[in-house]
Each structure stands twice: as structure tokens, then as C-alpha cells.
Amino acid sequence: MGHWKEAPSAAASLLISALVHGLLMGHIAEAQLVPATIIFGDSVVDVGNNNNNLYSIMKANFPPYGRDFVNHLPTGRFCNGKLATDFTVENLGFSSYPPAYLSPQATGRNLLIGANFASAASGYDDRTAQLYHAIPLSQQLAYYREYQAKVVRIAGRDKAASIFSGAIHLMSFGSSDLVQNYYVNPLINHAYTVDQYSDHLIQCFTSFVQNLYRLGARRIGVTSLPPLGCLPASITLFGEGANDCVKRLNNDATTFNKKLNSAGQNLKRSLSGLKLVVFDIYNPLYNLIKNPAGSGFFEARKACCGTGTIETSLLCNPHSPGTCANATGYVFWDSVHPSEAANSVLAGDLLAQGIDLIT
């Protein structure tokens, strides 16, 4: 098993300790800081839904994916080991992860700690998922309704309602909408400017949060876009031969993130009792990429898998030449997704930013 970077950070550890102490002093002696974790999103948080009866080409259920995970086996996570959300769930006090909703594990009392509805290549725009036969946002919501009905049957209506209102609902979308749809799909980029398309995505986000709220969710965290122009695949595909981050893509991401923050503030004003945090992923990941040595990394341009410039999903496989032996010094595992070591660092930032959701 790989040597993971310490997580969470020292500051985040202090925050956890203080929270746990405060909860215990308040005579709430449960191990978890929240009753459940519900996850929606794309490949950054998919834990195997795309493996299960989906004809999507976006899969990660084969080596070398998962080589540093428990049992060294691929699970469908687009990583060598744990995702940032895996670390987050551990930081919240859970001893197991919310199961992929389409997996055989998503039954009975396993559902009481939450569920993961994420699907690689999904987005705020249902058309993005449809291009890759992934689970669209609308279907992830439909599965969540189905999940709620199952929890009501298992736990009873009152207990279920307290699980839904107390659970942290995490969502990670948007990267696939731009990198795997808008930038490469003339049907979309000829119909919208990137600014118009971002507005459309924000409308989808707002509607989704409103639907979650109607279903009883009160604690919602959403990740911003990462620095899209710094992903190894983006530099290869859109960098026009340069070897540095693509400014145009990063500018699109920062513009979107401003709109996302504004939409989040509007939702909090309009929905009574809603706790909503927009997690800044952009700056922590950008800082890792621009100063890898500061966090113990040595490679941020190329990923570990294959040549590190283009391989992801089916292209990152046991026969990919050049895959590194030890991924702990790499910010990226494949050309789109952070390594477990980077996810550990990012999870510490998520925890520090998300204190409002667990207090």
C-alpha cells in the first residue's frame, strides 16, 4: 500500500478535535459528526456506479486504478487510492464509505450512512452525461428519491427525516460539462458562448439544490471548478504545444466559480435553514500544481499513469507504457484526476472550509 500524505492538515485536525470535544460535552456521543453522507457528481467522486450495468466507456474498474487502495484492487474510483471525499468521510468519523448506489452493497442498513450517486462524465447539463452514457443529474436525483423511500422503510419516517436533514450532501459537477462537452462539441459551442453555457449550468445547479431542499436536505456542499487549464490532458489537448496551464480554460473556470458563489448566496437567502458551502477546489489545487515541492510533490505537469499527458479511463490500463512505480510524488494520478496523495491534501482544505456544515 502506498504511503499516504498525512490527512487532514494540522489545522483541520485541531478543528476536528475541537468539534468532537464539543459534541461529547454536549452529550452527543455518536462516532460520526453527521448521520450520513450523500454524494452526487462526476468521476472525481464516482466510487463505482459506472461499473454497474452501464454501457459507459468511462470506467476505472481495472488496474492500475486502485493499486494503492484497500486490498490493492480497482473499485471504479478514478485514482490509485482514495478520493478526496473518501478522506472527508473518514474525517467525519465514519468507518466505511457510502456505497455506490448501483452496487450490490447498497442495500439494507448500509444505506443508513448514505449513498453515492456519482457517475464519471456526468455534469450539471444532462446532455454531457448522455454523450458518454453516464448517469445524468436528473437520474441521480431520481435515484436519491428512490434511496429516500428505502431509508424510510428501513428506519421509519421520523428517523429518516432526521437522517436527510442532518446528512451532508456533497456535489461535484462542471468539469465534464466544459472539458468533455463544451470545448469539444460543436453542437454546444456553436450554440452558446462559454459565458451563456456557464449561466445554463448555474441554472441547473440552482434547480438541483432547490429539489434537494424540497426533499429535506439542509446541509449541502458543492465544489468549485478546478483549474481546468492545468489538467495534464487539457495542456495536451488545448495548450497548442505550450507546456503550461491554458489561461483561457482557467479564466472560464474562475468566471464560473464566481457565478457559483453568487448562486450559492442567493440560495441561502431564499431557502430558510439551508447551510450551503461552495468549496474552493481551484486555489488549493492550483497551489499544488504551481508549488508541488511545498507539499512534498515533485511532478505536477505529468500524471503517474502512462505518459502522464493524455491517459485516463480506458487509456490508463495495465499495458500503458511508462506508468510510475510510486504515485506519492505526483499531483495527478491520470491526466485528469488527482493522485491519492493530492486528494489527501485537498481533503484537509475541504474540511477546514466546511466547518459550517457540521456545526
Side-chain angles (χ1 to χ4, degrees):
M1 194 176 296
H3 298 290
W4 299 327
K5 295 278 190 296
E6 289 189 11
S9 65
S13 295
L14 285 172
L15 286 166
I16 293 177
S17 299
L19 279 167
V20 171
H21 179 69
L23 288 170
L24 292 176
M25 291 301 288
H27 309 295
I28 304 172
E30 295 182 2
Q32 297 102 15
L33 295 176
V34 294
T37 313
I38 314 288
I39 299 170
F40 306 92
D42 53 22
S43 60
V44 175
V45 292
D46 185 354
V47 295
N49 281 313
N50 275 28
N51 300 350
N52 293 279
N53 304 316
L54 284 187
Y55 294 106
S56 175
I57 60 168
M58 301 302 291
K59 293 179 185 282
N61 57 342
F62 44 82
Y65 288 106
R67 72 180 193 187
D68 298 313
F69 197 68
V70 183
N71 299 333
H72 310 287
L73 295 173
T75 62
R77 287 165 170 82
F78 284 75
C79 189
N80 58 307
K82 297 180 189 177
L83 308 176
T85 43
D86 293 326
F87 286 111
T88 299
V89 167
E90 291 174 5
N91 292 341
L92 292 171
F94 291 89
S95 56
S96 58
Y97 308 116
Y101 187 66
L102 298 185
S103 72
Q105 290 73 42
T107 57
R109 300 190 67 82
N110 288 353
L111 295 174
L112 297 183
I113 64 161
N116 185 312
F117 303 93
S119 173
S122 189
Y124 288 117
D125 184 349
D126 275 6
R127 291 170 295 184
T128 301
Q130 289 158 2
L131 281 176
Y132 299 93
H133 301 286
I135 306 169
L137 185 68
S138 58
Q139 183 60 49
Q140 291 189 33
L141 184 68
Y143 281 144
Y144 179 59
R145 287 195 177 96
E146 185 181 278
Y147 160 84
Q148 285 196 327
K150 291 178 181 177
V151 172
V152 168
R153 287 198 294 271
I154 296 163
R157 193 163 297 280
D158 291 347
K159 176 69 173 171
S162 71
I163 290 173
F164 305 145
S165 63
I168 290 184
H169 295 68
L170 295 173
M171 46 197 294
S172 168
F173 291 102
S175 296
S176 296
D177 290 309
L178 290 173
V179 175
Q180 291 171 271
N181 190 0
Y182 184 82
Y183 294 138
V184 298
N185 184 356
L187 292 176
I188 299 292
N189 59 42
H190 287 178
Y192 301 89
T193 66
V194 70
D195 201 48
Q196 291 168 333
Y197 191 61
S198 290
D199 288 340
H200 169 65
L201 299 181
I202 294 296
Q203 288 173 350
C204 296
F205 159 73
T206 298
S207 175
F208 187 66
V209 171
Q210 290 167 338
N211 280 316
L212 289 180
Y213 183 87
R214 289 187 199 104
L215 292 169
R218 292 296 180 269
R219 301 168 187 235
I220 299 173
V222 55
T223 59
S224 73
L225 286 182
L228 295 175
C230 297
L231 305 179
S234 293
I235 297 173
T236 302
L237 293 172
F238 308 111
E240 298 178 348
N243 211 28
D244 200 7
C245 299
V246 184
K247 286 184 180 177
R248 173 175 63 93
L249 273 59
N250 280 354
N251 288 341
D252 291 345
T254 53
T255 300
F256 176 88
N257 290 342
K258 287 174 186 169
K259 293 180 180 183
L260 186 66
N261 276 290
S262 178
Q265 293 299 323
N266 290 338
L267 284 162
K268 284 196 287 186
R269 280 193 291 269
S270 64
L271 300 175
S272 171
L274 175 66
K275 291 187 174 188
L276 187 145
V277 172
V278 177
F279 291 103
D280 173 22
I281 289 289
Y282 186 102
N283 286 299
L285 185 54
Y286 186 79
N287 292 339
L288 273 186
I289 292 163
K290 287 302 178 182
N291 180 25
S295 297
F297 297 89
F298 60 78
E299 180 58 72
R301 163 60 183 100
K302 293 184 177 180
C304 170
C305 192
T307 65
T309 59
I310 197 67
E311 293 88 350
T312 188
S313 190
L314 297 179
L315 295 177
C316 173
N317 61 61
H319 308 294
S320 301
T323 299
C324 74
N326 186 343
T328 53
Y330 286 73
V331 173
F332 289 98
W333 160 247
D334 67 17
S335 68
V336 174
H337 304 97
S339 65
E340 178 182 77
N343 283 332
S344 170
V345 175
L346 295 173
D349 279 295
L350 288 177
L351 188 71
Q353 292 179 50
I355 293 302
D356 281 354
L357 293 181
I358 50 178
T359 54

